[in-house]
Amino acid sequence: MKRTSVAMLGLAAVVTGWTYATPGESPGPFKLYTHCGVRELNSNGTWYVRAGGPLASEAGTPKGWDDPYQRGWVVIDGNRATFWDSSGRKETFVERPGATKPLAVCSCPSSARCITLPTSCT
């Protein structure tokens, strides 16, 4: 298993805007995408889906969460990723083996409501 240095993780965050957690490193800083709800997590190209289904409000981002990202930490343990933040929120995600893209993409037209579209939409 390849290890990524803390310096490289920081560089990835600056270059891409994302911070990744590496399996076996505990914990790793992370920005969880929340814009249309807490649905999925991507860490180093591995997709995880929220255990228990999406967490969202009618407007998309769950009440009290930052939009479009919630800063926190992630620990990858086997096929699970656990995210938590300084407010005490804790969410568990389960790996989607073989996934190469999100289950859905989020589009927010001029209205305040977010619409989640299947990834096949163009």
Side-chain angles (χ1 to χ4, degrees):
M1 176 181 299
K2 185 178 176 182
R3 293 289 225 193
T4 304
S5 73
V6 173
M8 289 304 293
L9 287 173
L11 178 61
V14 170
V15 172
T16 67
W18 287 92
T19 304
Y20 298 102
T22 301
E25 293 184 6
S26 161
F30 197 83
K31 286 172 34 179
L32 180 65
Y33 186 70
T34 61
H35 185 60
C36 277
V38 177
R39 300 171 185 277
E40 296 180 271
L41 179 152
N42 182 310
S43 179
N44 286 332
T46 300
W47 286 95
Y48 300 83
V49 63
R50 183 178 176 269
L55 175 65
S57 69
E58 189 172 309
T61 303
K63 186 177 181 178
W65 290 69
D66 290 341
D67 183 4
Y69 298 98
Q70 182 71 39
R71 292 181 184 271
W73 301 270
V74 167
V75 171
I76 308 293
D77 185 16
N79 70 341
R80 293 191 173 272
T82 303
F83 171 87
W84 74 97
D85 65 19
S86 60
S87 297
R89 296 179 189 94
K90 183 177 178 182
E91 300 294 333
T92 301
F93 298 80
V94 180
E95 183 179 349
R96 291 192 305 119
T100 59
K101 58 186 177 182
L103 288 170
V105 293
C106 177
S107 174
C108 290
S110 58
S111 70
R113 295 190 70 183
C114 291
I115 302 168
T116 302
L117 307 168
T119 55
S120 61
C121 291
T122 57

